Structures are given as structure tokens and as C-alpha cells.
């Protein structure tokens, strides 16, 4: 279907701005048609008010109706067929196989949330019947459950144009909770965003739901901050950079009524390679690490950016074999030229710190017109790492830094200095048990997910998954942005005391 480049406000295409922008194909550096129009102040307000007006009806839908809506969105996305994958490919440079898998994940998590809604356990219902004869005081009838917060502003992520974007996990979990959604599309893939938004609008129509349940707005930071400040918005879901996340948090905090911003802002995802593990499976670990740092051209929030080893023959052999693998690795196309600039800036910053040297780089020469980069890695000593906090800087791209410690105690000291992380990984064998136990205890306080003898890239969408972590990995360590527990971000508890049956929500009534 032809793209129109307009905002979608409660089901209607709208273009109130005079300026416009175009997506750019990162593989050719050429602009793509059509032009897209950033949302005006009036369009931002109209989308937020439409969501607020739709909230009263949407939150009262039965579980079956809400689940049917989520299932229908998934089916409508699938019905877009190759058109969606082709547009996402030219806007992001991501290969078709990756995008096909991401589409499957997107539709899968929509259907998973549909099952969560049907089951109903997520609402955490508690009923304590009245005890009028209790002494010394009678107990009233108490019933408690989670109810939806209200309209949610969702921000599309650059590195996952489907799974963390218009119909991604934030949108799916908010809609599952009973919250209308206003999405601020990522400007790097506006055409992909429009196509998916069209699928959601089609699902709304098929299910006979209010059009204000969903809107899509284009634009940059000013549009996003204005949306967060609108009094009709009740919460924010964001995946992206630390700088952008902090800006949204500041905007939310300065409102007359502050609101929660659930921001996932990246991570170094440290990997600890213990001596016995390196002695017994060095080649396997080296290949796994290379795959992990180059997956998606290193543009995953779970990419390992730090690797800790203890000095010895095992670590020397590992660094040698890892360097050979990096040398033979192909270049890769990054999502946008802005991300490429950020990668080069942060990589240069890290390499410029005293005591840090380039450990190796791919021989393949990057094509600059294709926004390509070479995988590479740095090497430093633990003393330098402990002395220079700036070495704990995320370099978003195919790069990692190996830190060589003299003792296990020094490795633990490095672990204690780390800020909050999404993940932390330990590779160990039987002979490493004591050191692995000590590290696991430290890292449980530092990360939201601990990985053992594996790698953190790849996040299972399930009831058990936790994708969040202590600050600054995420803005609220108590919540996850991946998995069924993500729905809890967009709900709040209400207790009904001595409430007549006719006034209770259906799921709290005796029947």
C-alpha cells in the first residue's frame, strides 16, 4: 500500500506541519520516499485527548475482547506480508532473515499478552470476605486488584523496528493492561512505523473499538517531550539512549502531575571468563563472544561491552584466538549515520584513555557510503579500569574491551565498581566454583539478569524473563520491559472496601 507520510491521530491521517523529513537507506545513504510530517502541537494534543476519551470504554472491555484485539493486531501485521519486511530492510539495513524473525517475535508477544489477558492472573486479585464477628474489631469486606493507569506514550526504538517499536513490547503490554497508546515513531524508520500503525488501526476497526485507543506521531525530541508533558498521558514506555531517557524523565518530572517513565537505557553487559572455563573451552567462548558482539552489528542493548579475564596462559591463548576471529569478521552496516558517529566518538574516547590499546580489528574495509563499521576490541589492565571510570562507557556497536586482572580479588573489585546493568555473564567450570559463587553474589546486586556459560544477546519473551536492571540500565529496577511481567508497569492497585457487588469490576465479584 502507498505510504502517505502523515501522522495517524485516532484513525485519521493528519499533517499539520509545513516542514518534513525523509528516511535514509543506510546501505546507500540515499533518501527514501515519501516525505514525513512531524506532529504539530495541535496533533500531539488531539492524539493525547483522543486516548484519554477512549480510556473510559477501553478499560472496561472484557478480557476476551481485549485479547481478541491483540490477536487481531498480530494477524493484521502478518497480512502486510513482504511489503513490511522490504520497507524495514531499506530503512534499517537489517537483513530480511533478521526482520522476518523480528516480525515473528512481535506477533508472538502480542498473542502471548492475549493469553495473559484471558488468564487474568496478572491482575493480582485478592478477596478477603468480611468477618463481622471478629474481635476486638470486625473486618470489612476487602477486594484488591490491578487496574490500568491510563493513556501511555510509547517511543519506538531504532534498533528493533518491529519488536521494540510501534506494536512492540511496550505497546502490547500497555494495550493488554487496558491502556490506550500514543506512539512516537522513531524517525529512522517512519515508513515501517506507518505500515504497522495501519495494521493496528485495521484491528481497531475489525474489533469495533474506539479509534482513540491508538495514535502514531512522527517527529524528533521536541515532539516526544511535548507528548510526555501532555496532562492526558499517564505513563511512558521508552527504549533507547541514556541521554534521551533522562530528557523524558525530566519532562515527566516537571509536569504539574508527575508520571512514571519506564525507560530501558542500555548497558555494558559485562562478561567474566574464569580460568578453568577458559582452559577447557576457550575456542568455544571466543566464537560465542564474537557472535554476541557482532549480532545486529553490535546494536543490541545486551551486547557485551566488557570482558574480564585473569592473567595467565589461558587468558593469553583466549585473547589470541579471539583476535584472530575478529580479524576475519566482516564489516556491518549500522542503522543510521548518527549511530555510526556516536559509535566512533565513544570508541575513540575509550581508546584514548591511558593504558588502553587496540587489541585487534577486522581486516575488511568498511564502505563509508553504506554506514559500515569494522568489529574491533580493546585491551587494558584492571588497574587502569579501576583508575579511569570513563572506561565504563557504552560503545553502541561491534566493539568490546577485555580487562586483564591479576587476581580473582581484583576481578571482584572491578565487578563492585560497575553501575547497574541489564545483564551480567559468568563463564565457569567445576574448578571455578568458589570464584563463580563470589561473583554471582556481587553481580546479583548489579544486574537484572545473570547468564551462566552463555551470552546475553537474545532475550526470551516469557513469564520468567527480566529485561531491566539497577540504574542507569533502567529507570525503575522493579520492572521489566520484556516478558509478560511488562504489563505490570501500566497498572496500579485499587482496594474496594465494603463495595456493593453491582459496583465492583467483574473480576472482583463473587460470581
Amino acid at each position: 500500500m502507498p505510504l502517505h507520510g502523515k501522522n495517524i491521530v485516532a484513525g485519521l491521517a493528519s499533517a499539520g506541519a509545513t516542514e518534513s523529513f525523509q528516511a535514509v537507506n543506510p546501505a546507500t545513504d540515499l533518501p527514501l520516499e515519501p516525505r514525513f510530517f512531524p506532529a504539530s502541537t495541535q496533533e500531539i494534543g488531539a492524539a493525547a485527548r483522543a486516548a484519554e476519551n477512549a480510556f473510559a470504554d477501553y478499560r472496561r472491555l472484557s478480557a476476551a475482547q481485549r485479547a481478541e484485539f491483540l490477536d487481531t493486531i498480530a494477524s493484521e501485521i502478518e497480512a502486510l506480508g513482504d511489503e513490511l519486511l522490504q520497507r524495514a530492510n531499506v530503512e534499517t539495513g537489517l537483513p530480511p532473515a533478521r526482520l522476518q524473525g523480528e516480525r515473528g517475535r512481535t506477533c508472538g508477544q502480542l498473542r502471548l499478552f492475549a493469553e495473559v489477558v484471558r488468564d487474568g492472573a496478572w491482575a493480582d486479585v485478592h478477596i478477603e470476605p468480611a468477618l463481622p464477628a471478629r474481635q476486638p474489631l470486625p473486618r470489612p469486606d476487602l477486594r484488591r486488584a490491578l487496574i490500568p493507569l491510563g493513556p501511555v506514550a510509547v517511543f519506538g526504538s531504532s534498533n528493533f523496528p518491529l519488536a521494540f517499536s510501534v506494536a512492540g513490547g511496550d505497546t502490547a503490554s500497555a494495550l493488554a493492561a487496558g491502556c490506550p497508546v500514543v506512539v512516537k515513531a522513531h524517525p529512522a524508520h517512519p515508513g515501517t512505523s506507518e505500515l504497522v500503525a495501519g495494521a493496528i488501526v485495521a484491528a481497531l476497526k475489525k474489533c469495533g473499538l474506539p479509534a482513540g485507543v491508538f495514535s502514531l506521531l512522527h517527529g524528533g525530541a521536541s515532539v516526544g517531550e511535548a507528548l510526555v508533558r501532555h496532562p492526558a498521558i499517564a505513563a511512558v514506555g521508552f527504549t533507547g539512549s541514556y541521554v534521551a531517557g533522562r530528557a523524558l524523565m525530566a519532562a515527566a518530572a516537571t509536569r504539574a502531575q508527575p508520571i512514571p517513565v519506564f525507560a530501558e537505557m542500555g548497558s555494558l553487559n559485562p562478561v567474566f571468563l574464569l580460568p578453568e572455563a577458559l582452559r577447557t573451552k576457550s575456542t568455544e567462548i571466543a566464537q560465542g563472544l564474537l557472535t554476541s558482539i557482532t549480532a545486529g552489528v553490535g546494536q543490541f542493548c545486551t551486547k557485551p561491552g566488557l570482558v574480564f579475564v585473569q592473567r595467565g596462559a589461558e587468558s593469553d591463548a583466549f585473547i589470541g584466538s579471539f583476535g584472530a576471529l575478529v580479524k576475519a569478521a566482516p564489516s556491518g552496516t549500522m542503522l543510521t549515520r548518527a549511530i555510526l558517529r556516536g559509535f566512533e566518538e565513544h570508541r575513540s574516547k575509550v581508546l584514548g584513555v591511558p593504558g588502553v590499546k587496540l587489541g585487534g580489528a577486522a581486516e575488511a574495509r568498511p564502505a563509508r557510503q553504506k554506514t559500515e563499521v569494522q568489529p574491533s576490541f580493546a585491551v587494558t589492565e584492571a588497574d587502569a579500569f579501576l583508575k579511569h571510570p570513563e572506561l565504563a562507557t557504552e560503545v553502541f556497536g561491534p566493539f568490546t574491551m577485555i580487562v586483564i586482572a591479576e587476581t580473582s580479588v581484583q576481578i571482584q573489585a572491578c565487578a563492585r565498581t560497575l553501575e547497574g546493568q541489564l545483564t551480567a555473564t559468568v563463564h565457569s567450570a567445576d574448578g571455578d566454583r568458589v570464584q563463580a559463587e563470589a561473583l554471582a553474589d556481587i553481580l546479583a546486586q548489579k544486574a537484572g539478569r545473570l547468564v551462566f556459560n552463555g551470552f546475553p544477546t537474545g532475550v526470551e519473551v516469557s513469564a520468567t524473563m527480566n529485561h531491566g536492571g539497577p540504574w542507569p540500565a533502567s529507570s525503575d529496577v522493579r520492572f521489566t520491559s520484556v516478558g509478560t511481567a511488562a504489563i505490570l508497569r501500566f497498572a496500579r492497585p485499587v482496594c474496594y472496601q465494603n463495595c456493593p457487588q453491582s459496583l465492583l469490576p467483574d473480576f472482583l465479584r463473587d460470581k
Side-chain angles (χ1 to χ4, degrees):
M1 69 181 70
L3 298 171
H4 52 63
K6 299 178 181 179
N7 303 288
I8 300 175
V9 179
L12 300 176
S14 176
T18 55
E19 71 274 17
S20 62
F21 69 96
Q22 289 175 274
V24 174
N25 185 334
T28 64
D29 207 29
L30 296 175
L32 299 166
E33 294 293 337
R35 303 195 73 85
F36 290 84
F37 297 88
S40 65
T41 301
Q42 292 74 22
E43 287 165 332
I44 296 168
R49 287 190 298 273
E52 184 179 40
N53 293 336
F55 181 47
D57 290 331
Y58 186 63
R59 72 181 187 231
R60 294 190 180 96
L61 291 181
S62 68
Q65 289 173 304
R66 206 179 297 165
E68 180 190 13
F69 175 44
L70 293 168
D71 282 338
T72 305
I73 295 173
S75 296
E76 290 295 323
I77 290 173
E78 289 168 341
L80 292 170
D82 289 344
E83 180 182 9
L84 176 62
L85 302 181
Q86 290 164 0
R87 181 70 191 196
N89 169 252
V90 297
E91 286 188 329
T92 65
L94 296 173
R98 150 73 192 273
L99 292 167
Q100 189 170 11
E102 191 178 331
R103 180 180 61 184
R105 171 178 170 171
T106 303
C107 296
Q109 64 193 8
L110 283 162
R111 293 187 171 111
L112 178 60
F113 277 111
E115 290 305 309
V116 168
V117 171
R118 288 189 182 97
D119 175 75
W122 76 273
D124 195 29
V125 171
H126 292 269
I127 297 177
E128 296 179 333
L131 297 175
R134 190 183 70 173
Q135 295 297 326
L137 293 172
R139 184 179 75 187
D141 183 274
L142 299 172
R143 298 165 191 246
R144 179 187 182 276
L146 299 178
I147 68 168
L149 277 179
V152 175
V154 169
F155 287 76
S157 174
S158 64
N159 57 339
F160 282 87
L162 301 175
F164 278 87
S165 195
V166 175
D170 288 343
T171 296
S173 55
L175 291 175
C179 301
V181 170
V182 180
V183 172
K184 208 287 284 183
H186 198 284
H189 49 254
T192 304
S193 298
E194 182 184 316
L195 289 170
V196 176
I200 299 176
V201 171
L204 282 169
K205 291 177 180 176
K206 282 191 175 181
C207 295
L209 301 183
V213 168
F214 174 82
S215 291
L216 176 78
L217 303 177
H218 293 292
S222 61
V223 171
E225 291 182 22
L227 177 62
V228 170
R229 289 193 178 98
H230 196 282
I233 297 299
V236 177
F238 170 82
T239 297
S241 71
Y242 174 78
V243 172
R246 283 303 301 263
L248 296 180
M249 293 173 68
T254 57
R255 291 173 31 141
Q257 178 185 347
I259 58 172
V261 175
F262 299 103
E264 186 264 280
M265 297 177 288
S267 176
L268 287 163
N269 306 297
V271 175
F272 295 82
L273 307 178
L274 303 189
E276 185 66 13
L278 284 183
R279 190 184 71 80
T280 57
K281 48 184 179 179
S282 177
T283 302
E284 176 187 338
I285 292 173
Q287 184 59 65
L289 179 63
L290 177 72
T291 300
S292 197
I293 70 164
T294 58
V297 199
Q299 297 166 112
F300 286 178
C301 54
T302 53
K303 182 214 73 176
L306 284 174
V307 180
F308 294 90
V309 299
Q310 187 173 328
R311 189 185 303 281
E314 300 87 356
S315 62
D316 291 344
F318 166 76
I319 293 172
S321 60
F322 180 66
L325 291 170
V326 170
K327 185 177 181 180
S331 297
T333 300
M334 301 200 81
L335 292 160
T336 68
R337 193 156 292 279
I339 291 176
L340 171 61
R341 287 195 297 269
F343 170 76
E344 292 176 333
E345 175 186 338
H346 290 113
R347 179 177 175 273
S348 296
K349 176 183 175 182
V350 167
L351 290 173
V353 173
V356 177
K357 63 179 182 180
L358 182 65
E363 286 187 330
R365 307 311 300 173
R368 306 307 290 174
Q369 74 275 14
K370 293 185 178 181
T371 324
E372 284 189 349
V373 294
Q374 298 165 291
S376 59
F377 72 102
V379 178
T380 192
E381 307 286 332
D383 285 340
F385 182 81
L386 293 169
K387 182 178 178 180
H388 297 283
E390 63 269 30
L391 289 181
T393 297
E394 182 182 16
V395 181
F396 192 66
F399 174 83
T400 195
M401 182 167 63
I402 298 176
V403 180
I404 305 172
E406 298 299 328
T407 65
S408 61
V409 172
Q410 196 174 41
I411 286 181
Q412 292 167 28
C414 291
R416 289 190 181 94
T417 68
L418 294 171
E419 293 186 307
Q421 307 291 328
L422 293 172
T423 76
T425 297
V426 177
H427 280 262
S428 67
D430 289 343
D432 299 314
R433 184 179 62 81
V434 173
Q435 189 175 354
E437 288 178 354
L439 275 173
D441 185 60
I442 296 168
L443 297 174
Q445 303 304 311
K446 297 289 185 177
R449 176 164 60 108
L450 301 187
V451 180
F452 295 90
N453 296 320
F455 291 94
T457 41
V459 181
E460 183 73 20
V461 182
S462 69
T464 315
M465 179 51 60
N466 183 60
H467 189 64
W471 178 270
S474 60
S475 58
D476 195 326
V477 69
R478 298 168 297 174
F479 295 97
T480 177
S481 64
V482 176
T484 56
I487 193 173
L488 301 177
R489 298 174 297 169
F490 305 121
R492 65 181 180 87
V494 173
C495 176
Y496 295 82
Q497 181 170 326
N498 289 336
C499 183
Q501 288 284 313
S502 61
L503 300 182
L504 284 169
D506 283 346
F507 50 83
L508 285 179
R509 295 180 184 179
D510 287 343
K511 70 180 178 61

